[in-house]
Amino acid sequence: MILPILLVLPLLAAAMALLRKPDHPLVARAGAALSGVTFALALVLARRCLTRGAVAFGPGAFLRADSLSAILTLIVSGVACVSIGSGVNALRHGTGENGPIDDALRRRYHVLTHLFVFTMLLAVLANNVGVMWVAVEATTITTAFLVGVRRSKAALEASWKYILIGSVGIALAFLGTVLGYFNFVQRVGQTPYALHWTVLKGVAAGLDGDVLRLAFVFILIGYGTKAGLAPMHTWLPDAHSEAPAPISAMMSGSLLAVALYAILRWKTVVDACVGHAFTDRMLLLIGTLTVTVAATLLIRQASYKRMLAYSSVEQMGLVCVGLAFGPAGTLAALMLMIGHAAGKSMAFLLSGNLLAAYGSTRIASVRGVLRVMPWSGGLFMIAILALMGLPPFGIFLSEMLLVRAGFLSGHPWATGLVLAMVVVIFVSLLAHLQRLPYGEPPHEVPRGEPDRSSLPPLALNLVVLLALGLVVPAPLLRLLGRAVEVVSR
């Protein structure tokens, strides 16, 4: 019963936000509490996957979680727990270009935030690839309204851009899904649960390899659009920079990982039919391109929120590269997913405090952060250092494992190129970062933390970043190993 409960909890939080007055303190507090319970259940699910191998529920195992699903459930629920807990006051004093944010907009914000969490959880827990596609499409619907919630011109433009590009991408993913289904029907015939990925994988050896290759191309481009992979990444900087801080944290920290999860599920089916060489080449090509594009665009970046968005593009590119480097690279990629979720959600949440204090996202307008807000400023610096790949944080270990896997798997030139781009990104982030903490802050900027209540939940992010970098907990290491087996076998 744990799988349906995981899906019911965010729906319950959305219902409470819909029925209660939007500024009632119970709405935010109950939502934060339910997101905490969801994360606790995700930990229980991970433990059960370690002991049982997989957990299923419903006819034909409609809901199913193995170790890979458990990792993504932990990412989605963990980022949601911290983001909702840190963002309880996200819209309390918000204003848009068209005036103050009213009760209707607050209600929409709370309801859609919890529905967003529900759609991501459904995507990673559904055994049916059709339902997974519907769930990923539903994330576009919920987040499009959240990106434009402040009603400014830039936010509305970002929302429309996100809808248009995301819809094209998800249409391509649908085409790939249909190709895979008709390939199954043509070779196997009409059978129950034909769209369950476990069924598809079980009969993949008898499917038409050329059709599956074509389907994977559409799926990679389609879901890759949602994951922010180049050249379909252009929606991401605008949407992430205009959305409220908690939504940016969840979009970057977990939504991108969910889209990559969908690609991974199809990769296992295609690999079972034609071997892993084809999908590895495709992932290496698009991953290398993505990292190169991110490095180029990060050099001259004027907004710290857009800087974080392009950093997300880089990290997703690195994950794709790691997935092309065999089991060792897959382990590094999954660790990088977790580290990115912790570091990027932390950075985006703290960027909301910077925006509240300085009233601008321009790096040139932000000076003396450590004087104005020592806690938020200091934690923001730590988050950026972690995202740059410095020890003792987990992203450093993940990237070192990824580079090692690249050389050992026989891809020295691609690994060298990616490593060079990572150095460029490191220097760019360092150059942007050193401008923020020092100097004389503007006189109109008030001293003190904009919202101290947003800081305690970020302790979870710090714990994850340090644990992954210093000593990976044994249960997590076993879970990662099981997930690598799911992807590689």
Side-chain angles (χ1 to χ4, degrees), residues 139-417:
T139 64
T140 305
I141 298 171
T142 55
T143 49
F145 289 102
L146 290 169
V147 168
V149 73
R150 296 190 183 278
R151 298 185 295 182
S152 67
K153 180 180 178 181
L156 292 176
E157 287 179 352
S159 180
W160 275 109
K161 187 175 183 179
Y162 173 46
I163 292 173
L164 291 174
I165 298 177
S167 297
V168 171
I170 209 68
L172 293 174
F174 177 74
L175 181 56
T177 303
V178 170
L179 280 173
Y181 172 71
F182 279 110
N183 188 7
F184 176 92
V185 171
Q186 183 183 28
R187 290 299 182 96
V188 181
Q190 293 284 356
T191 62
Y193 315 117
L195 279 174
H196 282 26
W197 80 265
T198 47
V199 175
L200 285 170
K201 186 176 179 180
V203 300
L207 300 182
D208 189 313
D210 291 334
V211 175
L212 271 188
R213 288 187 185 95
L214 180 61
F216 185 76
V217 171
F218 284 116
I219 286 164
L220 179 59
I221 296 174
Y223 286 124
T225 301
K226 291 288 292 185
L229 301 179
M232 305 82 64
H233 68 285
T234 51
W235 64 269
L236 189 147
D238 294 327
H240 285 37
S241 62
E242 294 300 330
I247 305 306
S248 295
M250 286 191 284
M251 289 180 70
S252 185
S254 52
L255 177 58
L256 305 185
V258 169
L260 283 180
Y261 166 86
I263 294 173
L264 262 180
R265 283 303 188 197
W266 275 104
K267 174 179 168 27
T268 62
V269 175
V270 178
D271 288 352
C273 178
V274 301
H276 62 82
F278 173 75
T279 56
D280 287 351
R281 284 197 300 270
M282 294 295 298
L283 287 168
L284 185 58
L285 175 64
I286 200 167
T288 305
L289 174 64
T290 300
V291 175
T292 304
V293 168
T296 305
L297 295 174
L298 265 172
I299 294 174
R300 296 178 58 85
Q301 196 49 243
S303 164
Y304 55 82
K305 289 197 76 175
R306 292 180 72 87
M307 175 188 74
L308 294 175
Y310 282 119
S311 172
S312 295
V313 173
E314 174 232 354
Q315 296 286 318
M316 293 303 103
L318 287 177
V319 171
C320 283
V321 170
L323 294 174
F325 287 163
T330 301
L331 175 63
L334 293 176
M335 288 182 61
L336 187 58
M337 267 192 195
I338 299 173
H340 171 260
K344 194 55 60 65
S345 59
M346 180 178 178
F348 266 118
L349 287 168
L350 290 165
S351 74
N353 285 358
L354 266 64
L355 179 59
Y358 287 86
S360 174
T361 61
R362 290 186 58 82
I363 296 174
S365 302
V366 180
R367 290 290 184 273
V369 169
L370 294 180
R371 295 186 186 183
V372 172
M373 47 178 77
W375 283 102
S376 294
L379 289 172
F380 185 76
M381 300 299 118
I382 291 173
I384 300 298
L385 291 174
L387 293 170
M388 288 165 57
L390 285 176
F393 304 107
I395 292 178
F396 167 78
L397 178 60
S398 303
E399 291 180 349
M400 291 303 99
L401 290 175
L402 188 149
V403 170
R404 180 177 181 272
F407 284 114
L408 291 178
S409 62
H411 298 89
W413 292 106
T415 306
L417 175 61

